[in-house]
Amino acid sequence: MATTRIDRRTALKLVAAATAAALAPPRLTAREAPVMTTRRIPVSGEAIPVIGMGSSDTFDVGTDGMQRAVLQGVLRNLVDAGGSVIDTSPMYGSAESVLGDLIDEWSLGPKLWLATKVWTRGREAGVKQIDASFARLRTKKLELLQIHNLLDWREHVPTLRALQASGKVRYSGITHYRADAHAELERVLGAEKFDWVQVNYSLAEPEAAARLLPFCQDKGIAVMANRPFADGALFARVRGKPLPPWAADVGCESWGQFFLRWVISHPAVTCVIPATSKPQHMADNAAAGRAPLPDARQRERMRAYWESL
């Protein structure tokens, strides 16, 4: 009796599909899936989905086949919900390589909006690191290249400008994850033109709303919000506590959606990038992007409830 042999790549796809399907919630049909809200990037007018995905810690899994299979479910649920923005960095261990492999294996490249960073000292070292990121992500073009945590930012600006001029990078940006860096972010944004800033913003870390977010809104700078769950601190505070009885009025079915909808409903925020390694959490996160988003009165009610806990 003849047997059919399959190559390693096909076998991995079959394993990934079976594992992700077992762990993920049922896929939604086009009619069932909520339409994700988009926001426009000020410098270009391009509209992008408000809920994206970070990859710090979660995609640093090396060659572990089972973990990669689960992460494929995360990617699938992002795309199925209408999401596309993925943020990564060479700082995140093997995340760039894992993303590159999974995106290539499932031909997701055309559906995704990729952002990564440069995180090193010196112009030459930066060029080498950026080249390596292109190779690891298996792409010839990035939507966004950011200077991670402002490290040696002046040295990297000429490289970013050259990549933008060549068409290999569409947008440039700077990032940080601490409130004590917000003043420096604002200073750099005032001294040099960047299209994006990535900054921490959440109910537990709302400081960016004091000056930085209004500054970006006024100057036409897109904002990518990181740490929307404050590294899990928000979930720790509400553990065992029910959502407020009026949660449905602000479009929330879970605490994760409550936290994300508060962040993305700020008018200066273009997108938010929660990180997860669980397909079901990605589906829940993505559902937070449905319209309509909370208005100013609802945002204040959400903030006041959070502070009362």
Side-chain angles (χ1 to χ4, degrees):
M1 179 177 177
T3 59
T4 302
R5 298 178 63 86
I6 59 176
D7 60 29
R8 181 176 179 274
R9 178 169 175 164
T10 302
L12 287 173
K13 281 191 174 185
L14 292 171
V15 171
T19 305
L23 293 172
R27 297 182 73 165
L28 300 177
T29 66
R31 176 173 295 182
E32 295 170 330
V35 176
M36 191 182 291
T37 306
T38 61
R39 285 268 173 86
R40 294 193 179 277
I41 299 169
V43 73
S44 67
E46 177 190 6
I48 63 170
V50 295
I51 305 293
M53 185 191 78
S55 59
S56 177
D57 295 330
T58 52
F59 274 72
D60 182 19
V61 300
T63 58
D64 188 302
M66 291 300 292
Q67 291 189 71
R68 282 179 171 230
V70 175
L71 291 173
Q72 191 61 64
V74 174
L75 286 174
R76 187 198 75 185
N77 283 351
L78 172 70
V79 172
D80 282 356
S84 61
V85 177
I86 295 179
D87 177 77
T88 189
S89 171
M91 184 184 183
Y92 303 159
S94 62
E96 286 185 324
S97 295
V98 172
L99 281 165
D101 290 348
L102 296 179
I103 290 167
D104 182 66
E105 286 171 10
W106 290 78
S107 302
L108 292 175
K111 299 179 180 180
L112 297 177
W113 196 99
L114 290 178
T116 193
K117 309 177 185 78
V118 56
W119 186 67
T120 188
R121 291 192 181 276
R123 191 173 305 182
E124 184 176 347
V127 170
K128 290 180 179 178
Q129 187 177 78
I130 293 165
D131 286 345
S133 290
F134 273 99
R136 285 191 291 263
L137 288 166
R138 301 194 185 195
T139 186
K140 294 181 179 179
K141 181 181 178 183
L142 291 168
E143 297 303 321
L144 172 61
L145 183 58
Q146 306 153 101
I147 301 172
H148 200 142
N149 296 347
L150 293 172
L151 182 62
D152 211 8
W153 67 270
R154 291 180 183 83
E155 285 298 307
H156 301 311
V157 166
T159 303
L160 267 62
R161 298 288 175 256
L163 288 167
Q164 287 182 281
S166 71
K168 293 186 69 176
V169 169
R170 187 164 186 194
Y171 303 108
S172 63
I174 55 175
T175 82
H176 220 289
Y177 68 100
R178 295 197 319 261
D180 61 7
H182 291 180
E184 181 65 6
L185 284 171
E186 183 178 337
R187 188 188 71 78
V188 173
L189 290 170
E192 182 70 45
K193 178 167 177 55
F194 290 98
D195 308 311
W196 281 83
V197 64
Q198 183 182 142
V199 65
N200 57 310
Y201 182 56
S202 71
L203 279 163
E205 298 176 339
E207 295 88 350
R211 283 183 53 93
L212 186 59
L213 296 188
F215 174 87
C216 290
Q217 193 171 11
D218 181 60
K219 299 297 184 183
I221 300 167
V223 175
M224 186 177 290
N226 63 35
R227 291 177 54 84
F229 303 138
D231 203 21
L234 276 73
F235 289 112
R237 184 160 163 176
V238 301
R239 187 171 293 119
K241 298 177 181 179
L243 285 166
W246 43 266
D249 296 341
V250 292
C252 299
E253 299 173 349
S254 67
W255 278 115
Q257 292 179 19
F258 190 94
F259 302 144
L260 291 173
R261 285 177 69 77
W262 186 84
V263 170
I264 197 57
S265 58
H266 191 293
V269 176
T270 311
C271 70
V272 59
I273 49 168
T276 183
S277 59
K278 295 184 166 103
Q280 64 271 29
H281 289 175
M282 184 69 256
D284 188 66
N285 291 345
R290 62 181 174 268
L293 295 173
D295 59 25
R297 180 187 59 82
Q298 291 171 323
R299 279 176 52 80
E300 178 56 27
R301 190 181 191 186
M302 295 166 80
R303 184 200 61 77
Y305 188 80
W306 163 258
E307 291 183 355
S308 74
L309 293 175

